[in-house]
């Protein structure tokens, strides 16, 4: 009992110390944590025990960065090149990068906005001192229990298929690895062709897609759903995230079927009854999951451009996914609609969107586009021998931490892989870190005279 109390006290003290650091610079804490994880993961993957033929320092660094940022872009074959130890290291890094950031975001919401809402009241602004170490430990525990429970359920369902195929231990390991990678929105697979051989399986496709969709909703949305169970009782953020997720998924599903139905390299090569399920997976996986069940390089150009847009948007805030986030995308659309209708403030579901949220949303979009444009320009300049569309796709995939590729990852130079790693890193922590920085209130006594500026 004394040891348990001592461990609890130690964890509480660490969380209190972390709270003091967050008070000054949350983005710096987040970035430092990720850099340390990438460095440690690189060293572990560089060890001879982690791979069969040995990884170079750059390969180990790229793989660790891809795992910690839950991307899934690879320069080595995960299933054949990495040993069981290496795959285990990869899985730990995926959890620390996916579930770890989800926990970090949940705690930051508490520290910046007060504790999570109870009943129907929204998050209330509260000073940092009111959030106790016990509250933070409870949040960590809730996130961990939720994630582990979903991963175990996914493992059990996938084992029904893969254990009879491969034997008990190998089938169980494949089931757990893919369930964990799916929930954490990491596109790593132990098959060299990802999930192409399971393209139309009636159990594998729904389970994998269900895990990464739920993991991409975000902790606050899941908590809100757990507490209220009815859409009408949810807060505005949850409603925007859920409705945006549904619109993007269904819209992309219809467009993928329209664009790929007669493409012999993708849906056209399947029986008619198998095409809708395969199209569904292709439509939802760009939202940062990264698994592919069709040949990405064989997709038509309209589908390729559609996937780039979906990768840029990503999934929910404070989730295991990345991108600018669905709620950000929805706020920008609502603000645009309000502007076109000459309304002073955007609204949805009989609620007005806070002006600060609108400013944050546009800031995230603009800065993300600027960074992505510069990085993609450098990739095209450095690799004139490669198709620009393939490089642009790689850049969008890295920024959205998706993991889809048109087959050019291993053809990139060291500088090109460095740019991709930078995109994965900034794409994972950038929008969230920016949101943290902008969410902190800054009071000023100086107010300027308002004036009109011609726009458009």
């Amino acid at each position: 009992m004394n040891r348990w109390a001592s461990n609890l006290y130690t964890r509480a003290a660490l969380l209190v110390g972390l709270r003091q650091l967050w008070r000054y610079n949350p983005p710096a804490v987040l970035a430092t944590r990720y850099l340390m994880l990438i460095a440690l993961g690189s060293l572990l993957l560089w060890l001879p025990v982690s791979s069969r033929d040995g990884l170079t320092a750059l390969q180990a660094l790229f793989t660790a960065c891809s795992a910690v940022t839950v991307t899934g872009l690879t320069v080595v074959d995960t299933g054949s090149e990495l040993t069981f130890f290496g795959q285990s290291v990869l899985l730990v890094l995926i959890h620390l990068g996916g579930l770890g950031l989800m926990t970090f975001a949940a705690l930051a919401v508490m520290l910046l906005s007060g504790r999570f809402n109870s009943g129907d009241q929204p998050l209330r602004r509260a000073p940092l001192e009111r959030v106790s170490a016990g509250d933070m430990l409870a949040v960590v525990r809730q996130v961990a229990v939720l994630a582990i429970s979903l991963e175990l359920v996914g493992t059990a369902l996938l084992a029904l298929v893969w254990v009879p195929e491969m034997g008990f231990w190998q089938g169980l390991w494949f089931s757990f690895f893919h369930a964990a990678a799916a929930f954490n929105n990491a596109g790593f697979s132990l098959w060299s062709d990802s999930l192409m051989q399971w393209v139309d399986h009636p159990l594998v496709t729904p389970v994998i897609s269900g895990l990464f969709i739920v993991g991409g909703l975000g902790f606050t949305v899941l908590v809100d759903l757990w507490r209220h169970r009815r859409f009408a009782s949810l807060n505005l953020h949850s409603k925007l995230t859920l409705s945006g997720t549904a619109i993007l998924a269904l819209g992309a599903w219809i467009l993928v079927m329209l664009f790929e139905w007669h493409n012999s390299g993708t849906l056209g090569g399947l029986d008619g009854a198998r095409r809708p399920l395969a199209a569904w997976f292709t439509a939802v996986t760009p939202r940062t999951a990264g698994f592919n069940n069709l040949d990405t390089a064989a997709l038509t150009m309209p589908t390729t451009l559609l996937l780039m847009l979906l990768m840029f948007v990503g999934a929910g805030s404070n989730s295991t996914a990345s991108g600018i986030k669905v709620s950000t995308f929805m706020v920008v659309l609502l603000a645009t609609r309000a502007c076109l209708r000459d309304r002073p403030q955007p609204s949805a579901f009989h609620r007005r969107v806070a002006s600060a949220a609108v400013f944050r949303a546009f800031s995230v979009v603009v800065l993300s586009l600027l960074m992505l444009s510069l990085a993609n320009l450098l990739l095209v300049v450095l690799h004139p021998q490669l198709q620009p569309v393939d490089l642009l796709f790689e850049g969008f995939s890295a920024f959205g931490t998706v993991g889809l590729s048109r087959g050019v990852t291993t053809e990139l130079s060291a500088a090109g892989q460095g740019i991709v790693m930078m995109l994965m890193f900034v794409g994972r922590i950038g929008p969230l870190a920016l949101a943290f920085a902008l969410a902190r209130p800054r009071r000023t006594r100086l107010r300027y005279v308002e004036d009109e500026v011609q726009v458009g």
Side-chain angles (χ1 to χ4, degrees):
M1 183 65 182
N2 291 336
R3 176 178 296 181
W4 181 88
S6 176
N7 290 336
L8 182 62
Y9 176 81
T10 301
R11 286 183 291 173
L14 288 174
L15 286 171
V16 170
L18 183 58
R19 181 178 63 183
Q20 298 300 320
L21 288 175
W22 279 345
R23 182 186 306 217
Y24 297 104
N25 199 336
V29 175
L30 183 64
T32 302
R33 173 187 180 276
Y34 264 69
L35 288 173
M36 292 173 63
L37 283 176
I38 292 172
L40 177 60
S42 302
L43 291 175
L44 292 175
L45 291 173
W46 199 18
L47 296 175
V49 71
S50 296
S51 59
R52 291 178 172 83
D53 298 324
L55 300 182
T56 65
L58 182 59
Q59 288 175 330
L61 177 62
F62 190 96
T63 304
C65 183
S66 184
V68 171
T69 58
V70 291
T71 303
L73 289 174
T74 59
V75 290
V76 295
D77 190 336
T78 305
S80 62
E81 180 60 31
L82 295 184
T83 62
F84 178 76
F85 177 82
Q87 294 171 10
S88 300
V89 169
L90 203 66
L91 204 55
V92 171
L93 294 177
I94 288 172
H95 276 104
L96 292 175
L99 178 59
L101 183 62
M102 192 175 182
T103 306
F104 188 101
L107 295 178
V109 168
M110 295 181 67
L111 291 174
L112 295 177
S113 303
R115 63 191 68 210
F116 284 106
N117 61 309
S118 58
D120 295 326
Q121 297 299 317
L123 288 172
R124 294 184 291 272
R125 179 69 60 182
L128 296 180
E129 286 74 11
R130 287 182 56 185
V131 184
S132 68
D135 292 330
M136 291 192 286
L137 286 172
V139 170
V140 173
R141 185 166 55 251
Q142 289 176 2
V143 174
V145 169
L146 173 67
I148 293 173
S149 299
L150 290 172
E151 289 181 8
L152 291 178
V153 171
T155 299
L157 292 174
L158 292 174
L160 297 176
V161 180
W162 291 338
V163 166
E165 289 276 342
M166 312 174 198
F168 183 78
W169 291 113
Q170 185 179 17
L172 192 63
W173 173 244
F174 270 61
S175 300
F176 178 65
F177 187 95
H178 287 84
F183 179 79
N184 287 278
N185 277 252
F188 286 95
S189 175
L190 298 181
W191 285 287
S192 59
D193 61 351
S194 192
L195 298 177
M196 289 179 62
Q197 58 185 294
W198 308 98
V199 60
D200 61 338
H201 197 279
L203 183 60
V204 172
T205 296
V207 169
I208 295 292
S209 60
L211 282 170
F212 63 65
I213 289 175
V214 172
L217 290 178
F219 178 75
T220 51
V221 175
L222 294 176
V223 169
D224 203 16
L225 282 170
W226 177 260
R227 289 177 174 175
H228 297 107
R229 312 293 175 89
R230 294 174 60 250
F231 185 83
S233 302
L234 302 178
N235 60 43
L236 181 58
H237 169 75
S238 299
K239 289 180 178 179
L240 288 179
T241 300
L242 291 172
S243 58
T245 298
I247 291 171
L248 288 171
L250 294 176
W253 186 24
I254 294 171
L255 290 176
V256 168
M257 286 193 290
L258 178 64
F259 297 149
E260 300 295 328
W261 194 265
H262 298 292
N263 182 0
S264 59
T266 55
L267 294 183
L270 304 174
D271 294 336
R274 300 161 59 190
R275 297 178 191 179
L277 188 60
W280 165 258
F281 195 89
T282 301
V284 294
T285 193
R287 307 274 310 292
T288 84
F291 296 103
N292 65 284
N293 63 347
L294 299 174
D295 185 359
T296 307
L299 295 172
T300 62
M301 193 53 60
T303 304
T304 301
L305 296 177
L306 172 65
L307 264 56
M308 289 185 193
L309 173 62
L310 295 173
M311 290 189 292
F312 180 73
V313 173
S317 300
N318 55 73
S319 70
T320 59
S322 298
I324 63 169
K325 303 300 189 297
V326 174
S327 55
T328 303
F329 180 69
M330 294 296 288
V331 168
V332 169
L333 291 183
L334 292 173
T336 303
R337 184 186 69 173
C339 179
L340 294 176
R341 294 183 176 183
D342 197 23
R343 294 180 177 176
Q345 197 168 4
S347 61
F349 302 106
H350 307 291
R351 292 289 187 274
R352 289 184 300 171
V353 180
S355 299
V358 176
F359 279 110
R360 286 197 295 270
F362 276 99
S363 298
V364 168
V365 172
V366 170
L367 290 177
S368 298
L369 284 174
L370 288 175
M371 183 204 64
L372 192 54
S373 299
L374 177 60
N376 281 333
L377 176 63
L378 291 174
L379 285 176
V380 173
V381 170
L382 291 172
H383 306 91
Q385 77 280 9
L386 300 177
Q387 291 295 323
V389 67
D390 295 339
L391 294 170
L392 292 176
F393 192 91
E394 194 83 4
F396 274 91
S397 180
F399 173 79
T401 67
V402 179
L404 295 175
S405 177
R406 291 173 64 88
V408 300
T409 309
T410 56
E411 299 182 36
L412 297 176
S413 63
Q417 291 183 10
I419 293 173
V420 170
M421 284 189 283
M422 181 274 296
L423 280 173
M424 290 190 290
F425 180 78
V426 177
R428 182 60 177 151
I429 69 168
L432 182 63
L434 178 62
F436 287 168
L438 294 176
R440 299 182 67 84
R442 292 179 175 84
R443 295 180 176 85
T444 177
R445 298 179 180 178
L446 180 63
R447 296 185 65 181
Y448 294 103
V449 176
E450 185 177 282
D451 203 349
E452 290 289 337
V453 177
Q454 295 183 4
V455 177

